[in-house]
Amino acid sequence: MSGDLRPDDVTKLFAGLRSSTYGRASFRELADFAAHPDFRNRGPITDRIRDMRTTFKPLIDHALNPNGASIEQIFDRAESNFRMATDEQVARLSGGLKRRKAGSVLGSAIDKLRQGPKGIHLSPAEKLLAHNFGDRLIWNPALRAKGVFDDFKQVMLKNGLMTACNSDKLDDARALVILHAITVMHGVAFDIGDGMKGVLQAGYKNEEGCLEVTTVLNLEGYPKMISLKLGMFWTDLLAKNHVDEMLLDRHGPWDFPIEIQDNKLCPIGDVPELQEEDDNSTMVHLP
């Protein structure tokens, strides 16, 4: 708050308050990443990866498989879409319902549809939600910069480390908190429990040139291997302002370690040479 911005201070705050987050999910998730820097198999990030695969696989099956997607896949997609939707999206797609009520209506619709002809009599609200969440693609990053910093600030307030009247002084540390989040997520391997594994990687290969953390899921069983590039953490930090000059021509995703120096991301050690992309696969980019 005095303007002396040091990455180690942010690291200590996340570690020290890991069990005192007052329900702020992103703070606990990032603290867990820092505590388990090599591997993750649970938490909001792995849940979101699982939901994204569930949402997109029926689309790919419909396009490439003669039999298309199964009805159970559509039901699963409706549920994963609902979990990933923001409160604003839920209200818009449900005719103004709150999340809890909309979830109840959607669950009832899916239960009836699973019963077959006996349960086909859906109410107008059930029809609306079943269609809007089952026949649609909804995806959002698991974390966003605004939410991460808002949660960080609220945890500081709730634990009495600052008062509301001087909390604005923390705003100068916003970029540092977000860069810290990127570094603790970058390079962490995950396993979502059914053989699907991957690694989170930072970079800024997007139209806006903003820093982000993504992962790639490889789907097998198709004529070509299909890779889904999924956005897990989206920030509003422009890379040109927050990366070392060594990374200005390396958009990523980066496959080398990084750290924070002078409020910028920089590589640790030598940067490996760029590798040509494999032409024998299909990549689907999901911002």
Side-chain angles (χ1 to χ4, degrees):
M1 292 173 68
S2 68
D4 182 12
L5 305 178
R6 293 176 292 186
D8 284 350
D9 289 341
V10 180
T11 300
K12 291 173 183 176
L13 287 168
F14 272 99
L17 300 175
R18 182 184 176 202
S19 299
S20 303
T21 62
Y22 289 88
R24 297 287 172 162
S26 74
F27 192 101
R28 178 57 189 259
E29 177 76 338
L30 293 169
D32 286 346
F33 264 93
H36 305 282
D38 298 323
F39 178 76
R40 294 288 291 155
N41 61 3
R42 61 182 179 178
I45 294 295
T46 51
D47 289 345
R48 184 54 50 92
I49 292 170
R50 188 178 295 107
D51 279 339
M52 284 187 170
R53 184 185 64 172
T54 299
T55 283
F56 279 88
K57 196 172 185 303
L59 176 68
I60 298 168
D61 287 347
H62 181 73
L64 298 180
N65 286 346
N67 297 327
S70 70
I71 189 63
E72 282 298 324
Q73 284 181 308
I74 303 302
F75 295 155
D76 290 342
R77 179 168 70 181
E79 293 170 337
S80 64
N81 276 338
F82 183 81
R83 286 190 294 267
M84 289 192 289
T86 64
D87 290 346
E88 292 78 11
Q89 288 173 323
V90 169
R92 176 167 51 83
L93 296 175
S94 66
L97 298 179
K98 298 291 187 180
R99 177 177 289 275
R100 179 174 294 183
K101 177 62 175 177
S104 176
V105 174
L106 178 61
S108 174
I110 293 175
D111 287 344
K112 289 181 179 180
L113 290 169
R114 281 189 167 129
Q115 295 174 22
K118 293 182 180 180
I120 206 64
H121 301 294
L122 303 182
S123 69
E126 289 171 339
K127 289 180 181 179
L128 177 68
L129 269 74
H131 178 268
N132 282 351
F133 287 98
D135 192 29
R136 188 180 299 265
L137 299 179
I138 298 174
W139 71 95
N140 291 296
L143 302 177
R144 293 182 183 271
K146 182 181 185 306
V148 164
F149 186 66
D150 287 349
D151 282 359
F152 182 84
K153 182 180 284 190
Q154 286 301 311
V155 171
M156 299 304 111
L157 287 168
K158 290 289 188 179
N159 283 280
L161 298 183
M162 65 182 187
T163 60
C165 63
N166 62 13
S167 63
D168 288 347
K169 294 180 180 179
L170 194 62
D171 291 348
D172 288 342
R174 181 180 187 273
L176 180 60
V177 171
I178 296 168
L179 293 176
H180 171 270
I182 293 173
T183 59
V184 298
M185 293 176 65
H186 175 69
V188 177
F190 64 86
D191 185 339
I192 64 175
D194 55 3
M196 186 67 72
K197 304 176 182 180
V199 177
L200 300 173
Q201 295 177 308
Y204 58 100
K205 192 174 183 180
N206 52 71
E207 292 182 359
E208 294 85 353
C210 291
L211 290 167
E212 61 178 343
V213 177
T214 62
T215 191
V216 172
L217 289 184
N218 295 318
L219 301 182
E220 300 178 350
Y222 299 100
K224 270 190 173 185
M225 177 181 288
I226 297 176
S227 298
L228 302 177
K229 180 188 174 186
L230 310 175
M232 291 291 106
F233 180 34
W234 175 253
T235 84
D236 52 7
L237 298 186
L238 291 174
K240 64 181 182 181
N241 299 329
H242 294 283
V243 301
D244 183 87
E245 61 181 11
M246 294 179 64
L247 298 179
L248 288 177
D249 61 346
R250 302 291 294 258
H251 296 174
W254 301 320
D255 57 357
F256 46 82
I258 57 175
E259 63 182 353
I260 303 172
Q261 290 187 7
D262 299 324
N263 222 28
K264 292 185 177 182
L265 297 179
C266 63
I268 300 175
D270 296 330
V271 178
E273 295 183 3
L274 287 170
Q275 302 293 322
E276 293 186 4
E277 293 186 3
D278 183 8
D279 291 333
N280 195 33
S281 64
T282 299
M283 175 71 78
V284 181
H285 296 273
L286 307 180

